[in-house]
Amino acid sequence: MSKRRRLTPAQLLQGVPAEILTRPPIAQVAAETAAMAAFEEVAGELRRAEAEGRMVLTLDLDQVAVDYLIRDRVVRDDDDTRALRDSLRARGQQVPIEVVDQGPGFQPRYGLISGWRRLLALWDLWDQTGDPRFAKVLALIRRPDAAPQAYVAMIEENEIRAGLSFYERARITLMAVRAGVYETEKKALQSLFSTASDAKRSKVKSFIPLVQALDGALRFPTHIPERTGLALSKALEEQAGFAETLRNRLLRRPAPSPQAEALVLAQAMRPEKGSEPPVGDVSAIRLTSGKARVLLEGPGVDSAFVARLKIWLTAPD
């Protein structure tokens, strides 16, 4: 009986296809499969976080379109802007802005929803210093279902961080209607200021004639007191030619300060010398007087009447 010849490992592997020889062990295959599944899970969570606005992105300043929405802010307050720049310079950006991703076909790709002051302050610092720290902005991506929701988000952010004036509220209402975001002023008011009281929405509505007549002519519209604004709006609606006269007066000699502009408005509201104060329907007002006091009461004493009377009393001769 012949003795069986023992084969070497190399001889045993002769003729075996290379893909079989290089195939990883089953344990390695299982490990790689698990790792790939974990990677896909993490990647999916990151995609969901970005889509839901939970991931902070770092964007170049010029990737964000400042004019994506008609802004509700009319002017930048110098003191607030200076304080914001100082904060950004010392501590960096602490609160992300909010943007909407318009898609890769848009330039800039992202549209600004909220954070207008922060973005402009970063632009200021980048222009002034050239420091790369200020060339980027932290941003959260929001996905409003429609344009009205983007406007609501912008207004809510500004109302919380720095309250809007009645003029600014009325202006964004009017601009949103003109841009076709809302069909009527009523729908715009109800949507943009859905959390406000009926009285507050009514006051915003009362400022709309003031915006319609004098927007662009006023240099300091956010400084107009509530009562003065209500009285002006009433006069603009009721007095023929008053809007054109006042607008021309404001454009001809622009006021150098809020106080100077307030004086111009007060003088425009004040009747000609020698005329009576604006009392409206005298039969609806009862007047009584005593030592060092005068009392006016009755249905004719409404907010507009009080505002006009106050302007008449305080205006210089």
Side-chain angles (χ1 to χ4, degrees), residues 145-199:
D145 293 335
Q149 290 184 332
Y151 277 91
V152 170
M154 171 183 66
I155 288 175
E156 286 181 347
E157 198 262 357
N158 276 335
E159 288 280 14
I160 291 171
R161 298 190 181 281
L164 298 169
S165 66
F166 277 106
Y167 187 94
E168 288 169 313
R169 295 184 183 108
R171 185 177 185 275
I172 192 59
T173 300
L174 188 61
M175 294 299 104
V177 173
R178 289 178 178 175
V181 179
Y182 299 98
E183 294 178 1
T184 64
E185 292 172 5
K186 181 178 180 180
K187 289 182 178 179
L189 286 165
Q190 290 175 338
S191 176
L192 296 175
F193 305 101
S194 59
T195 60
S197 65
D198 290 341

Side-chain angles (χ1 to χ4, degrees), residues 159 164-171 173 185 189 193 196-211 224-234 237 302-304 307:
E159 288 280 14
L164 298 169
S165 66
F166 277 106
Y167 187 94
E168 288 169 313
R169 295 184 183 108
R171 185 177 185 275
T173 300
E185 292 172 5
L189 286 165
F193 305 101
S197 65
D198 290 341
K200 186 172 184 178
R201 278 198 297 271
S202 177
K203 290 176 182 177
V204 175
K205 180 181 178 181
S206 296
F207 266 73
I208 289 178
L210 182 58
V211 177
I224 298 175
E226 177 187 331
R227 289 183 175 180
T228 301
L230 293 173
L232 278 169
S233 286
K234 187 174 178 62
E237 286 190 303
D302 55 18
S303 60

Side-chain angles (χ1 to χ4, degrees), residues 209-210 213-214 231-240 242-244 246:
L210 182 58
L214 302 180
L232 278 169
S233 286
K234 187 174 178 62
L236 288 165
E237 286 190 303
E238 294 179 349
Q239 299 180 26
F242 180 60
E244 184 178 0
L246 180 53

Side-chain angles (χ1 to χ4, degrees), residues 72 188 192 228 236 258 274-275 280 283 314:
D72 51 356
L192 296 175
T228 301
L236 288 165
S275 65
S283 64
T314 57

Side-chain angles (χ1 to χ4, degrees), residues 18-19 25 27 32 39 50 61 87 94 105 120 149 160 195 216 224 228-229 242-243 259 281 290 294 306 315:
E19 59 269 20
E32 290 184 355
F39 173 80
E50 180 178 343
L61 294 180
S87 174
Q94 301 296 305
L120 293 189
Q149 290 184 332
I160 291 171
T195 60
I224 298 175
T228 301
F242 180 60
Q259 295 76 18
D281 184 4
V294 173
V306 172

Side-chain angles (χ1 to χ4, degrees), residues 214 218-221 223-225 228-229 232 242 246 249-250 253-271 308 310-317:
L214 302 180
L218 291 164
R219 291 195 63 200
F220 307 97
H223 291 265
I224 298 175
T228 301
L232 278 169
F242 180 60
L246 180 53
R249 183 174 180 181
L250 291 166
R253 299 184 62 183
S257 68
Q259 295 76 18
E261 189 164 83
L263 180 60
V264 172
L265 298 178
Q267 290 174 336
M269 289 289 295
R270 188 174 186 272
R308 296 183 67 182
K310 185 176 180 180
I311 292 172
W312 184 85
L313 291 171
T314 57
D317 291 335

